[in-house]
Amino acid sequence: MSTDNQRVLLDIQQGIATVTLNRPDKYNGLDMEMFDAITKVAKKLKKDRSVRAIILNGAGEAFCSGLDVGKVMKNPVNALKLLIKPGRKISNLAQDVGYLWRQVPAPVIAVTHGYCFGGGFQIALGADFRFSTPDCEFSIMESKWGLIPDMSLTVTLRELISIDLAKELTMTARRFDGNEAKAMGLVSRICDDPLAQAQAFAEELAQRSPDAVAASKLLFNRTWTATDKTALDWETRLQKKIIGRANQRTAIARNTGKPELEYQERRDL
């Protein structure tokens, strides 16, 4: 299926969802339609308890070249639409394209190639894993346009690199390739064919209890920068939600002579 005039394509096969940014003639640059389409598909997948893993990639020659500055800034109202926070939400539309992937219970694998700049990089940082070609070009590019990164990077980047390196990359907007990104801890794997590797990894994740996988994602997202007390509390809280439940019993059975048993849909945590 597709959403929003084909800006984002969604295909779900055997519990694995493939999300494709689909504006290849503009290197998947982010216009307002793309912002809306990404947030809608992320919200849809957040509610779909049958989805076991998500692959996020870009059509054509790039993952995402970032904000389509010319098109978005042509209408001053767009800046307000992107930056306003409606109601009691903690994130705005600009931040949602990256941050919402953290709220999707299923693990998200971003597959990057070509260009991964600015807002595109921040979308990839919102994923749980990043598989990249060695020659993919990355940049926190906002300072080139006299801006700061504002698509949830302050939440996602701090978990991966030191503050001095974050400042350097942000202030200089310099480009770096996939190999350097891997050395800095910004990329999970470098692959000649990252999409194929992501598909194989997604299939591996789909063989585990969806409750345990989702709980693991939530556990680390909630505790990585938390106090010891908060971290230990979350361990206990989430374990109580999955221990002894149907999928945990199935996991035991699959490891003790009944590998054919199927997991149920993911529980709400």
Side-chain angles (χ1 to χ4, degrees):
M1 64 167 291
S2 62
T3 64
D4 283 72
N5 196 30
Q6 307 290 309
R7 280 291 193 270
V8 174
L9 306 179
L10 173 62
D11 180 64
I12 302 176
Q13 300 288 337
Q14 298 180 324
I16 297 173
T18 300
V19 178
T20 305
L21 307 183
N22 190 43
R23 200 182 175 214
D25 56 318
K26 298 295 183 180
Y27 298 104
N28 298 316
L30 300 168
D31 59 3
M32 297 304 293
E33 292 82 5
M34 183 75 87
F35 276 103
D36 288 334
I38 292 170
T39 57
K40 286 179 180 178
V41 76
K43 290 176 180 178
K44 174 182 174 65
L45 291 171
K46 180 180 179 181
K47 296 177 181 178
D48 191 337
R49 295 190 294 118
S50 70
V51 170
R52 310 288 291 278
I54 298 164
I55 297 171
L56 178 59
N57 73 124
E61 298 180 7
F63 174 73
C64 178
S65 59
L67 184 69
D68 186 337
V69 176
K71 187 172 181 183
V72 172
M73 302 308 288
K74 188 175 182 179
N75 183 352
V77 175
N78 288 337
L80 295 176
K81 291 180 179 179
L82 288 171
L83 298 178
I84 192 170
K85 292 183 180 179
R88 301 180 66 181
K89 279 191 62 181
I90 66 169
S91 58
N92 56 37
L93 179 58
Q95 294 161 336
D96 281 345
V97 294
Y99 188 71
L100 283 177
W101 298 111
R102 293 171 63 87
Q103 297 184 324
V104 175
V108 181
I109 311 159
V111 176
T112 66
H113 72 290
Y115 304 120
C116 187
F117 293 158
F121 191 19
Q122 292 178 81
I123 292 171
L125 289 173
D128 302 289
F129 310 95
R130 284 153 296 283
F131 290 12
S132 177
T133 59
D135 59 351
C136 179
E137 289 190 71
F138 296 85
S139 175
I140 303 174
M141 194 167 275
E142 283 75 10
S143 69
K144 176 180 177 180
W145 304 101
L147 300 170
I148 61 170
D150 63 347
M151 298 184 191
S152 74
L153 174 140
T154 50
V155 173
T156 55
L157 191 64
R158 67 186 178 186
E159 296 173 350
L160 301 175
I161 62 176
S162 61
I163 188 172
D164 57 338
L165 186 52
K167 289 176 180 177
E168 177 213 326
L169 297 177
T170 300
M171 293 174 184
T172 63
R174 72 175 179 85
R175 298 186 184 192
F176 49 95
D177 65 16
N179 287 319
E180 186 176 359
K182 177 67 169 64
M184 288 189 285
L186 294 169
V187 165
S188 311
R189 296 187 190 178
I190 294 295
C191 324
D192 291 332
D193 189 347
L195 182 57
Q197 290 290 310
Q199 290 168 336
F201 183 48
E203 291 170 4
E204 179 181 357
L205 291 171
Q207 296 304 309
R208 297 290 178 258
S209 163
D211 296 347
V213 171
S216 298
K217 174 173 177 171
L218 182 58
L219 175 66
F220 288 119
N221 283 352
R222 292 294 178 90
T223 64
W224 202 251
T225 59
T227 64
D228 289 359
K229 182 181 185 305
T230 297
L232 296 173
D233 285 348
W234 270 104
E235 283 185 8
T236 303
R237 181 186 308 185
L238 291 173
Q239 194 75 297
K240 286 179 178 178
K241 287 181 176 290
I242 61 176
I243 193 169
R245 305 285 183 171
N247 281 331
Q248 201 256 327
R249 296 196 303 270
T250 297
I252 294 173
R254 285 168 65 98
N255 284 283
T256 55
K258 296 182 179 179
E260 73 282 355
L261 287 183
E262 297 291 334
Y263 287 111
Q264 296 181 11
E265 289 189 349
R266 182 188 69 243
R267 295 190 73 236
D268 289 329
L269 298 175

